[in-house]
Amino acid sequence: MSAEALSFFLPEELNASMPPERRGLRRDYVKMMVIDRTTGETSHTQFYQLDHFLKAGDVLVLNASRTIPAVLQGELDGGTEVEVRLAHRKSERIWEALILSNQVKAGDRISFSSLLSAAVLTTENDNPFAVLEFNLCCSALYDQIYQIGQPVRYEYIKTPWELDYYQTVFATSPGSVEMPSAGRAFSWELLFRLQKKGVKIAYIQLHTGLSYLMDDKWHVDPRENLEEYVIPEETAQAVQKAKENGNKVIAVGTTVVRALESGADQEGRITAINGWTNLYITSETKLQVADGLITGLHEPEASHLDLLSAFVSPERLRVSYEEAIIHKYFWHEFGDMNLIL
């Protein structure tokens, strides 16, 4: 059963248009729906109660990628203004990007500031993305992007919230075009409380690409979406140890599930790796590493729902999502949370 089959009506008012902090809530006080993988039963609590559901020896794996302000305003040599949305980092200088203009062609140069410009290498007709080569690289490039860019905002966001609202408290490594939002509800206090209980906190890094393409004519198959990921040695060891001791590995976000499952061998053993993945997880996938998942609530027919159905049957998922709507859960990156365990 694919995500197309998991369609449901989401009332407009359940699209979270503002961060919890602007609704008068701490980030870790958002609601949390808990789905039991064995019984399929659903219960409701708040995210700061997460420590009640995990045991000493369990490993919580977070994505350490930091959100960058990926929307850049530039101009062509003739003075034509263009909006560029960074989509996927290909190397230290080269990015795929969505250019919101049909006047840009290969060979053009786009100036973003007195210091930053990019050469347009390709504009493919059968691909929504152009390839840009920037004149700066590494931290110098990110410094400029942070100075002049704006975060990617969706149509249900009516206020231009600052970039800080699009960061998790623990993110360290810049590169995600869209916030890895499953980690947003964590506070340092909750992370310390989990550690005190004996839960191991570990990190991977997977920089998210652009999923929202502004135009229905482009449908990017998730299998075409190659993303770079890093599993450090310390994380691989922590996950392996938990597996050997019969403890649980809980992935915080679909990005973490994809990284962990991509990094595992046939026997489900995991080692340190720096690679690229286009792994597409569905109800047919036998998960080797992740025992549980912390995630937000996903919109109808989103491909992320296919990944969720590897943890819990699409039928159970539908019932839980209908319950979340009745309980007035908020959807999307500023919304409420879902623990599947």
Side-chain angles (χ1 to χ4, degrees), residues 106-120:
D108 283 349
R109 181 162 283 280
I110 305 173
S111 297
F112 299 101
S113 71
S114 58
L115 295 175
L116 185 64
S117 66
V120 181

Side-chain angles (χ1 to χ4, degrees), residues 134-152:
F134 286 95
N135 62 326
L136 300 174
C137 85
C138 320
S139 60
L141 174 56
Y142 281 129
D143 286 347
Q144 275 298 295
I145 290 172
Y146 275 105
Q147 276 184 44
I148 63 176
Q150 287 290 324
V152 173

Side-chain angles (χ1 to χ4, degrees), residues 219-266:
H219 174 69
V220 179
D221 186 306
R223 294 171 193 81
E224 293 168 23
N225 191 6
L226 265 177
E227 293 175 311
E228 191 178 8
Y229 71 102
V230 180
I231 300 174
E233 182 61 49
E234 193 187 342
T235 299
Q237 286 178 7
V239 166
Q240 208 42 54
K241 186 176 164 192
K243 287 293 189 195
E244 285 161 10
N245 295 343
N247 292 108
K248 288 188 166 52
V249 175
I250 295 93
V252 179
T254 57
T255 55
V256 175
V257 179
R258 288 214 317 283
L260 292 175
E261 299 299 325
S262 299
D265 65 16
Q266 301 317 108

Side-chain angles (χ1 to χ4, degrees), residues 319-339:
V319 171
S320 300
Y321 264 51
E322 283 168 358
E323 220 174 287
I325 291 171
I326 292 165
H327 284 267
K328 300 230 177 303
Y329 273 65
F330 280 119
W331 255 249
H332 307 299
E333 71 270 33
F334 293 146
D336 293 310
M337 301 305 295
N338 178 199
L339 168 65

Side-chain angles (χ1 to χ4, degrees), residues 28-327:
D28 57 358
Y29 271 57
V30 294
K31 293 202 274 269
M32 179 168 73
M33 174 168 72
V34 184
I35 306 174
D36 186 313
R37 280 186 75 183
T38 354
T39 65
E41 283 174 6
T42 304
S43 59
H44 301 276
T45 179
Q46 281 175 293
F47 192 73
Y48 73 91
Q49 305 271 21
L50 177 66
D51 55 329
H52 297 312
F53 296 89
L54 305 184
K55 298 187 174 74
D58 288 346
V59 178
L60 194 63
V61 187
L62 302 161
N63 185 355
S65 176
R66 243 179 125 60
T67 312
I68 61 168
V71 181
L72 306 176
Q73 304 299 334
E75 58 176 55
L76 297 170
D77 288 343
T80 308
E81 294 187 356
V82 289
E83 180 174 304
V84 171
R85 295 183 168 224
L86 300 177
H88 306 103
R89 192 188 87 133
K90 291 297 173 190
S91 70
E92 297 289 12
R93 281 179 193 275
I94 295 179
W95 280 78
E96 282 186 338
L98 189 65
I99 300 180
L100 303 186
S101 164
N102 50 15
Q103 298 184 35
V104 179
K105 56 193 188 306
D108 283 349
R109 181 162 283 280
I110 305 173
S111 297
F112 299 101
S113 71
S114 58
L115 295 175
L116 185 64
S117 66
V120 181
L121 301 185
T122 62
T123 54
E124 297 297 340
N125 295 330
D126 56 349
N127 176 346
F129 302 121
V131 177
L132 302 182
E133 182 173 11
F134 286 95
N135 62 326
L136 300 174
C137 85
C138 320
S139 60
L141 174 56
Y142 281 129
D143 286 347
Q144 275 298 295
I145 290 172
Y146 275 105
Q147 276 184 44
I148 63 176
Q150 287 290 324
V152 173
R153 301 186 182 100
Y154 300 106
E155 72 281 13
Y156 49 82
I157 300 290
K158 306 293 182 240
T159 309
W161 305 111
E162 299 104 72
L163 182 66
D164 280 354
Y165 286 116
Y166 292 89
Q167 301 292 11
T168 57
V169 298
F170 50 79
T172 50
S173 173
S176 276
V177 167
E178 296 173 358
M179 169 172 57
S181 53
R184 193 189 188 282
F186 283 93
S187 61
W188 281 119
E189 188 190 334
L190 177 56
L191 288 167
F192 290 141
R193 205 162 70 234
L194 286 160
Q195 279 178 309
K196 208 167 147 193
K197 185 172 183 170
V199 175
K200 169 83 180 150
I201 310 290
Y203 297 93
I204 60 99
Q205 180 189 298
L206 186 149
H207 295 318
T208 63
L210 189 68
S211 63
Y212 179 58
L213 301 184
M214 313 283 294
D215 188 339
D216 290 341
K217 79 172 177 184
W218 298 115
H219 174 69
V220 179
D221 186 306
R223 294 171 193 81
E224 293 168 23
N225 191 6
L226 265 177
E227 293 175 311
E228 191 178 8
Y229 71 102
V230 180
I231 300 174
E233 182 61 49
E234 193 187 342
T235 299
Q237 286 178 7
V239 166
Q240 208 42 54
K241 186 176 164 192
K243 287 293 189 195
E244 285 161 10
N245 295 343
N247 292 108
K248 288 188 166 52
V249 175
I250 295 93
V252 179
T254 57
T255 55
V256 175
V257 179
R258 288 214 317 283
L260 292 175
E261 299 299 325
S262 299
D265 65 16
Q266 301 317 108
E267 279 77 58
R269 292 188 66 83
I270 197 159
T271 49
I273 186 171
N274 186 343
W276 291 79
T277 182
N278 63 345
L279 180 65
Y280 188 54
I281 294 174
T282 68
S283 53
E284 310 296 302
T285 310
K286 190 180 181 320
L287 296 169
Q288 304 243 55
V289 184
D291 302 299
L293 172 66
I294 291 170
T295 184
L297 293 156
H298 302 286
E299 60 193 300
E301 299 178 19
S303 62
H304 290 312
L305 291 169
D306 284 345
L307 184 144
L308 266 59
S309 67
F311 287 89
V312 64
S313 79
E315 291 73 22
R316 293 298 332 160
L317 204 52
R318 184 200 300 282
V319 171
S320 300
Y321 264 51
E322 283 168 358
E323 220 174 287
I325 291 171
I326 292 165
H327 284 267

